[in-house]
Amino acid sequence: FKKSKLLYFVDFLLMFVLLGYQYGAYDTMIYINRYVHPEVYSSFTEPLFTMILAAFKQIGFSYRNFMLITSLIELILIFRFIKKNTDNHCFVIGLFMIFPMISTFEQLRFFMAFTIILCGAIDALITKSKYYRLKAVIFILIASLIHSSSIFYLLFVLVDFLNVKKTII
């Protein structure tokens, strides 16, 4: 099923249901509380994530609507990235569903940040378009405003500067 459009759509639909309608994950109640009472959490939640929550809440979306919309956007971006950068996208999605999906779907902020890094920074590093390092750094910094651990992805920008033989030694 190397390039099966049906399997691609079924994978997307399954992942959308699992991410958008999840309830019971260990972080779910924390994120519901952050959504309902952002003022309590704003002092120790990254600023961009707090702004995203506030924007959705101000528009009048419920937490479930927030999850559905962000899930849809995140999965569209990830599926687009996979389709663009791999020949066997159903295989890559299958590998993602074996383990990374389980751990990243549990952590809403990290998955949001990871999507930004994947589509902005990693894509720029792969295509090596004009100013690709600067673009990667900017996207990583934006993602770190959603989840602070994303700052460690700056190591990927340094890979071009490293000599493979010296690094191995």
Side-chain angles (χ1 to χ4, degrees):
F1 303 107
K2 187 174 184 177
K3 293 187 178 184
S4 170
K5 291 180 181 180
L6 177 64
L7 185 59
Y8 190 71
F9 176 75
V10 169
D11 285 343
F12 181 85
L13 194 61
L14 174 66
M15 290 173 76
F16 176 69
V17 169
L18 290 174
L19 180 59
Y21 289 98
Q22 74 170 320
Y23 190 82
Y26 63 88
D27 278 353
T28 303
M29 291 309 297
I30 295 169
Y31 287 118
I32 290 173
N33 285 334
R34 283 183 183 192
Y35 192 80
V36 175
H37 306 289
E39 64 282 351
V40 175
Y41 296 92
S42 64
S43 64
F44 56 88
T45 300
E46 287 80 354
L48 186 55
F49 186 72
T50 303
M51 288 171 45
I52 291 169
L53 290 179
F56 273 90
K57 192 170 180 183
Q58 189 172 11
I59 292 170
F61 287 120
S62 68
Y63 175 75
R64 181 59 53 211
N65 292 337
F66 163 74
M67 279 298 295
L68 290 172
I69 291 169
T70 55
S71 300
L72 185 65
I73 292 168
E74 291 166 354
L75 289 174
I76 286 171
L77 291 173
I78 286 179
F79 272 63
R80 196 186 101 226
F81 175 83
I82 290 171
K83 194 168 187 175
K84 177 183 175 188
N85 293 299
T86 62
D87 289 329
N88 194 345
H89 39 268
C90 290
F91 180 71
V92 173
I93 293 167
L95 288 176
F96 179 73
M97 292 172 83
I98 290 173
F99 175 72
M101 180 187 80
I102 296 167
S103 62
T104 56
F105 280 15
E106 294 275 331
Q107 303 159 356
L108 177 64
R109 285 181 309 133
F110 179 76
F111 191 57
M112 233 183 237
F114 175 71
T115 304
I116 291 169
I117 290 169
L118 194 65
C119 294
I122 303 299
D123 192 46
L125 292 172
I126 289 171
T127 58
K128 295 191 184 217
S129 58
K130 190 174 184 181
Y131 303 114
Y132 70 96
R133 286 188 188 103
L134 178 63
K135 184 178 177 183
V137 168
I138 289 170
F139 276 98
I140 291 169
L141 292 176
I142 291 169
S144 69
L145 295 174
I146 293 175
H147 197 282
S148 57
S149 70
S150 302
I151 202 77
F152 291 108
Y153 281 98
L154 285 173
L155 294 173
F156 285 119
V157 177
L158 301 175
V159 169
D160 283 349
F161 297 114
L162 299 174
N163 183 328
V164 176
K165 291 180 182 177
K166 289 180 182 178
T167 304
I168 291 172
I169 291 172

